[in-house]
mmCIF file of all heavy atoms in Angstrom:
data_model
loop_
_atom_site.group_PDB
_atom_site.id
_atom_site.type_symbol
_atom_site.label_atom_id
_atom_site.label_comp_id
_atom_site.label_asym_id
_atom_site.label_seq_id
_atom_site.Cartn_x
_atom_site.Cartn_y
_atom_site.Cartn_z
ATOM 1 N N LYS A 191 15.327 -16.626 25.740
ATOM 2 C CA LYS A 191 15.497 -16.377 24.241
ATOM 3 C C LYS A 191 14.185 -15.769 23.650
ATOM 4 O O LYS A 191 14.198 -14.827 22.884
ATOM 5 C CB LYS A 191 15.861 -17.538 23.598
ATOM 6 C CG LYS A 191 17.370 -17.849 23.877
ATOM 7 C CD LYS A 191 17.810 -19.086 22.993
ATOM 8 C CE LYS A 191 19.307 -19.453 23.279
ATOM 9 N NZ LYS A 191 19.725 -20.620 22.480
ATOM 10 N N SER A 192 13.017 -16.297 24.002
ATOM 11 C CA SER A 192 11.709 -15.927 23.679
ATOM 12 C C SER A 192 11.492 -14.407 23.943
ATOM 13 O O SER A 192 11.078 -13.716 23.168
ATOM 14 C CB SER A 192 10.647 -16.848 24.138
ATOM 15 O OG SER A 192 9.394 -16.326 23.657
ATOM 16 N N LYS A 193 11.737 -14.140 25.188
ATOM 17 C CA LYS A 193 11.519 -12.753 25.710
ATOM 18 C C LYS A 193 12.440 -11.770 25.083
ATOM 19 O O LYS A 193 12.133 -10.602 24.738
ATOM 20 C CB LYS A 193 11.720 -12.757 27.218
ATOM 21 C CG LYS A 193 10.559 -13.407 28.073
ATOM 22 C CD LYS A 193 10.747 -13.194 29.500
ATOM 23 C CE LYS A 193 9.550 -13.886 30.263
ATOM 24 N NZ LYS A 193 9.671 -13.777 31.714
ATOM 25 N N THR A 194 13.684 -12.169 24.806
ATOM 26 C CA THR A 194 14.705 -11.347 24.115
ATOM 27 C C THR A 194 14.267 -11.074 22.637
ATOM 28 O O THR A 194 14.274 -9.883 22.192
ATOM 29 C CB THR A 194 16.091 -12.009 24.141
ATOM 30 O OG1 THR A 194 16.477 -12.136 25.388
ATOM 31 C CG2 THR A 194 17.102 -11.121 23.369
ATOM 32 N N ASP A 195 13.731 -12.136 22.069
ATOM 33 C CA ASP A 195 13.249 -11.996 20.675
ATOM 34 C C ASP A 195 12.015 -10.987 20.577
ATOM 35 O O ASP A 195 11.863 -10.188 19.671
ATOM 36 C CB ASP A 195 12.779 -13.362 20.077
ATOM 37 C CG ASP A 195 13.991 -14.266 19.722
ATOM 38 O OD1 ASP A 195 15.037 -13.727 19.679
ATOM 39 O OD2 ASP A 195 13.880 -15.468 19.557
ATOM 40 N N ALA A 196 11.218 -11.137 21.640
ATOM 41 C CA ALA A 196 9.970 -10.266 21.718
ATOM 42 C C ALA A 196 10.388 -8.767 21.873
ATOM 43 O O ALA A 196 9.861 -7.932 21.260
ATOM 44 C CB ALA A 196 9.049 -10.720 22.884
ATOM 45 N N VAL A 197 11.359 -8.556 22.692
ATOM 46 C CA VAL A 197 11.885 -7.232 22.905
ATOM 47 C C VAL A 197 12.388 -6.667 21.533
ATOM 48 O O VAL A 197 12.159 -5.433 21.237
ATOM 49 C CB VAL A 197 12.929 -7.154 23.987
ATOM 50 C CG1 VAL A 197 13.674 -5.739 24.030
ATOM 51 C CG2 VAL A 197 12.342 -7.373 25.404
ATOM 52 N N ASN A 198 13.174 -7.461 20.964
ATOM 53 C CA ASN A 198 13.813 -7.088 19.625
ATOM 54 C C ASN A 198 12.816 -6.718 18.529
ATOM 55 O O ASN A 198 12.858 -5.857 17.737
ATOM 56 C CB ASN A 198 14.815 -8.207 19.195
ATOM 57 C CG ASN A 198 16.193 -8.108 19.944
ATOM 58 O OD1 ASN A 198 16.457 -7.140 20.652
ATOM 59 N ND2 ASN A 198 16.712 -9.285 20.025
ATOM 60 N N GLN A 199 11.693 -7.594 18.548
ATOM 61 C CA GLN A 199 10.623 -7.351 17.535
ATOM 62 C C GLN A 199 9.895 -6.045 17.811
ATOM 63 O O GLN A 199 9.576 -5.360 16.941
ATOM 64 C CB GLN A 199 9.639 -8.575 17.639
ATOM 65 C CG GLN A 199 10.130 -9.898 17.043
ATOM 66 C CD GLN A 199 9.167 -10.988 17.325
ATOM 67 O OE1 GLN A 199 8.121 -10.846 17.907
ATOM 68 N NE2 GLN A 199 9.632 -12.276 16.881
ATOM 69 N N LYS A 200 9.618 -5.774 18.978
ATOM 70 C CA LYS A 200 9.033 -4.499 19.396
ATOM 71 C C LYS A 200 9.904 -3.351 19.082
ATOM 72 O O LYS A 200 9.454 -2.267 18.654
ATOM 73 C CB LYS A 200 8.546 -4.464 20.942
ATOM 74 C CG LYS A 200 7.450 -5.381 21.203
ATOM 75 C CD LYS A 200 7.172 -5.381 22.734
ATOM 76 C CE LYS A 200 6.164 -6.277 23.095
ATOM 77 N NZ LYS A 200 5.833 -6.470 24.550
ATOM 78 N N GLY A 201 11.225 -3.455 19.391
ATOM 79 C CA GLY A 201 12.202 -2.338 19.001
ATOM 80 C C GLY A 201 12.269 -2.127 17.503
ATOM 81 O O GLY A 201 12.209 -1.049 17.091
ATOM 82 N N THR A 202 12.231 -3.306 16.744
ATOM 83 C CA THR A 202 12.190 -3.191 15.320
ATOM 84 C C THR A 202 10.964 -2.496 14.770
ATOM 85 O O THR A 202 11.067 -1.703 13.846
ATOM 86 C CB THR A 202 12.252 -4.604 14.643
ATOM 87 O OG1 THR A 202 13.482 -5.150 15.021
ATOM 88 C CG2 THR A 202 12.201 -4.559 13.129
ATOM 89 N N ALA A 203 9.808 -2.830 15.411
ATOM 90 C CA ALA A 203 8.573 -2.197 14.972
ATOM 91 C C ALA A 203 8.672 -0.598 15.205
ATOM 92 O O ALA A 203 8.145 0.202 14.316
ATOM 93 C CB ALA A 203 7.350 -2.748 15.671
ATOM 94 N N LEU A 204 9.176 -0.266 16.394
ATOM 95 C CA LEU A 204 9.314 1.192 16.696
ATOM 96 C C LEU A 204 10.284 1.835 15.749
ATOM 97 O O LEU A 204 9.982 2.887 15.276
ATOM 98 C CB LEU A 204 9.766 1.321 18.159
ATOM 99 C CG LEU A 204 9.895 2.786 18.645
ATOM 100 C CD1 LEU A 204 8.649 3.550 18.518
ATOM 101 C CD2 LEU A 204 10.475 2.704 20.071
ATOM 102 N N ASN A 205 11.373 1.203 15.525
ATOM 103 C CA ASN A 205 12.310 1.812 14.545
ATOM 104 C C ASN A 205 11.805 1.933 13.129
ATOM 105 O O ASN A 205 11.942 2.994 12.500
ATOM 106 C CB ASN A 205 13.617 0.912 14.523
ATOM 107 C CG ASN A 205 14.419 0.931 15.788
ATOM 108 O OD1 ASN A 205 14.334 1.954 16.529
ATOM 109 N ND2 ASN A 205 15.163 -0.035 16.083
ATOM 110 N N ASN A 206 10.992 0.895 12.749
ATOM 111 C CA ASN A 206 10.379 0.980 11.367
ATOM 112 C C ASN A 206 9.415 2.166 11.287
ATOM 113 O O ASN A 206 9.308 2.802 10.252
ATOM 114 C CB ASN A 206 9.753 -0.396 10.966
ATOM 115 C CG ASN A 206 10.730 -1.462 10.714
ATOM 116 O OD1 ASN A 206 11.868 -1.220 10.564
ATOM 117 N ND2 ASN A 206 10.275 -2.702 10.842
ATOM 118 N N ALA A 207 8.595 2.342 12.386
ATOM 119 C CA ALA A 207 7.576 3.438 12.321
ATOM 120 C C ALA A 207 8.260 4.733 12.269
ATOM 121 O O ALA A 207 7.805 5.720 11.453
ATOM 122 C CB ALA A 207 6.809 3.370 13.572
ATOM 123 N N LYS A 208 9.446 4.978 12.954
ATOM 124 C CA LYS A 208 10.117 6.177 12.922
ATOM 125 C C LYS A 208 10.836 6.335 11.639
ATOM 126 O O LYS A 208 10.927 7.473 11.127
ATOM 127 C CB LYS A 208 11.047 6.232 14.176
ATOM 128 C CG LYS A 208 10.248 6.345 15.511
ATOM 129 C CD LYS A 208 11.197 6.489 16.703
ATOM 130 C CE LYS A 208 10.329 6.691 17.939
ATOM 131 N NZ LYS A 208 11.155 6.856 19.175
ATOM 132 N N LEU A 209 11.313 5.276 11.007
ATOM 133 C CA LEU A 209 12.024 5.332 9.724
ATOM 134 C C LEU A 209 10.941 5.722 8.656
ATOM 135 O O LEU A 209 11.202 6.500 7.782
ATOM 136 C CB LEU A 209 12.564 3.989 9.374
ATOM 137 C CG LEU A 209 13.941 3.613 10.068
ATOM 138 C CD1 LEU A 209 14.347 2.241 9.711
ATOM 139 C CD2 LEU A 209 15.008 4.662 9.654
ATOM 140 N N ALA A 210 9.713 5.279 8.847
ATOM 141 C CA ALA A 210 8.621 5.653 7.998
ATOM 142 C C ALA A 210 8.335 7.102 7.932
ATOM 143 O O ALA A 210 8.117 7.745 6.978
ATOM 144 C CB ALA A 210 7.367 4.802 8.204
ATOM 145 N N TYR A 211 8.393 7.622 9.263
ATOM 146 C CA TYR A 211 8.143 9.074 9.398
ATOM 147 C C TYR A 211 9.291 9.799 8.784
ATOM 148 O O TYR A 211 9.100 10.859 8.026
ATOM 149 C CB TYR A 211 8.059 9.406 10.885
ATOM 150 C CG TYR A 211 8.180 10.875 11.232
ATOM 151 C CD1 TYR A 211 7.033 11.707 10.917
ATOM 152 C CD2 TYR A 211 9.322 11.502 11.820
ATOM 153 C CE1 TYR A 211 7.174 13.028 11.087
ATOM 154 C CE2 TYR A 211 9.370 12.755 12.144
ATOM 155 C CZ TYR A 211 8.292 13.578 11.722
ATOM 156 O OH TYR A 211 8.396 14.978 12.032
ATOM 157 N N THR A 212 10.446 9.451 9.028
ATOM 158 C CA THR A 212 11.680 10.074 8.464
ATOM 159 C C THR A 212 11.679 10.069 6.928
ATOM 160 O O THR A 212 12.007 11.150 6.224
ATOM 161 C CB THR A 212 13.035 9.440 8.968
ATOM 162 O OG1 THR A 212 13.065 9.454 10.375
ATOM 163 C CG2 THR A 212 14.212 10.149 8.404
ATOM 164 N N LYS A 213 11.289 8.946 6.356
ATOM 165 C CA LYS A 213 11.186 8.893 4.889
ATOM 166 C C LYS A 213 10.082 9.799 4.302
ATOM 167 O O LYS A 213 10.356 10.462 3.306
ATOM 168 C CB LYS A 213 11.000 7.430 4.433
ATOM 169 C CG LYS A 213 10.899 7.224 2.918
ATOM 170 C CD LYS A 213 10.591 5.735 2.619
ATOM 171 C CE LYS A 213 10.507 5.558 1.100
ATOM 172 N NZ LYS A 213 9.430 6.386 0.500
ATOM 173 N N ALA A 214 9.019 9.737 5.033
ATOM 174 C CA ALA A 214 7.878 10.651 4.557
ATOM 175 C C ALA A 214 8.272 12.157 4.600
ATOM 176 O O ALA A 214 7.945 12.805 3.698
ATOM 177 C CB ALA A 214 6.695 10.465 5.470
ATOM 178 N N ALA A 215 9.084 12.476 5.643
ATOM 179 C CA ALA A 215 9.503 13.942 5.804
ATOM 180 C C ALA A 215 10.430 14.229 4.653
ATOM 181 O O ALA A 215 10.399 15.276 4.049
ATOM 182 C CB ALA A 215 10.248 14.110 7.130
ATOM 183 N N LYS A 216 11.372 13.331 4.343
ATOM 184 C CA LYS A 216 12.362 13.594 3.225
ATOM 185 C C LYS A 216 11.567 13.649 1.890
ATOM 186 O O LYS A 216 11.949 14.452 1.014
ATOM 187 C CB LYS A 216 13.395 12.422 3.176
ATOM 188 C CG LYS A 216 14.240 12.488 4.341
ATOM 189 C CD LYS A 216 15.370 11.409 4.250
ATOM 190 C CE LYS A 216 16.350 11.575 5.408
ATOM 191 N NZ LYS A 216 17.395 10.442 5.372
ATOM 192 N N ASP A 217 10.602 12.600 1.717
ATOM 193 C CA ASP A 217 9.930 12.713 0.382
ATOM 194 C C ASP A 217 9.059 13.993 0.297
ATOM 195 O O ASP A 217 8.982 14.548 -0.900
ATOM 196 C CB ASP A 217 8.904 11.382 0.438
ATOM 197 C CG ASP A 217 9.661 10.106 0.235
ATOM 198 O OD1 ASP A 217 10.844 10.234 -0.145
ATOM 199 O OD2 ASP A 217 9.006 9.137 0.493
ATOM 200 N N LEU A 218 8.609 14.522 1.401
ATOM 201 C CA LEU A 218 7.825 15.709 1.255
ATOM 202 C C LEU A 218 8.740 16.917 0.875
ATOM 203 O O LEU A 218 8.338 17.760 0.155
ATOM 204 C CB LEU A 218 7.117 16.032 2.656
ATOM 205 C CG LEU A 218 6.295 17.391 2.711
ATOM 206 C CD1 LEU A 218 5.324 17.408 1.585
ATOM 207 C CD2 LEU A 218 5.668 17.574 4.109
ATOM 208 N N GLU A 219 9.906 16.992 1.459
ATOM 209 C CA GLU A 219 10.940 18.035 1.234
ATOM 210 C C GLU A 219 11.254 17.965 -0.271
ATOM 211 O O GLU A 219 11.366 18.992 -1.061
ATOM 212 C CB GLU A 219 12.115 17.840 2.066
ATOM 213 C CG GLU A 219 11.890 18.264 3.539
ATOM 214 C CD GLU A 219 11.444 19.679 3.676
ATOM 215 O OE1 GLU A 219 11.914 20.558 3.053
ATOM 216 O OE2 GLU A 219 10.387 19.893 4.467
ATOM 217 N N LEU A 220 11.430 16.784 -0.695
ATOM 218 C CA LEU A 220 11.834 16.594 -2.186
ATOM 219 C C LEU A 220 10.677 16.998 -3.147
ATOM 220 O O LEU A 220 10.832 17.622 -4.109
ATOM 221 C CB LEU A 220 12.128 15.088 -2.572
ATOM 222 C CG LEU A 220 12.488 14.708 -3.884
ATOM 223 C CD1 LEU A 220 13.709 15.489 -4.338
ATOM 224 C CD2 LEU A 220 12.773 13.186 -4.071
ATOM 225 N N ALA A 221 9.405 16.619 -2.688
ATOM 226 C CA ALA A 221 8.230 17.010 -3.443
ATOM 227 C C ALA A 221 8.066 18.526 -3.535
ATOM 228 O O ALA A 221 7.723 19.171 -4.528
ATOM 229 C CB ALA A 221 6.982 16.336 -2.888
ATOM 230 N N LYS A 222 8.345 19.216 -2.403
ATOM 231 C CA LYS A 222 8.267 20.697 -2.245
ATOM 232 C C LYS A 222 9.284 21.233 -3.181
ATOM 233 O O LYS A 222 9.007 22.341 -3.896
ATOM 234 C CB LYS A 222 8.445 21.105 -0.904
ATOM 235 C CG LYS A 222 7.246 20.858 0.085
ATOM 236 C CD LYS A 222 7.536 21.477 1.382
ATOM 237 C CE LYS A 222 6.349 21.224 2.349
ATOM 238 N NZ LYS A 222 6.617 21.650 3.790
ATOM 239 N N ALA A 223 10.464 20.691 -3.236
ATOM 240 C CA ALA A 223 11.596 21.240 -3.990
ATOM 241 C C ALA A 223 11.282 21.096 -5.475
ATOM 242 O O ALA A 223 11.479 22.033 -6.335
ATOM 243 C CB ALA A 223 12.882 20.481 -3.636
#
Side-chain angles (χ1 to χ4, degrees):
K191 288 182 178 179
S192 175
K193 289 182 177 179
T194 300
D195 289 344
V197 169
N198 287 335
Q199 287 172 5
K200 290 176 182 177
T202 298
L204 179 59
N205 289 339
N206 287 342
K208 291 184 176 180
L209 284 173
Y211 168 71
T212 302
K213 179 180 181 300
K216 289 180 179 179
D217 288 346
L218 179 58
E219 289 302 315
L220 180 60
K222 285 180 178 178

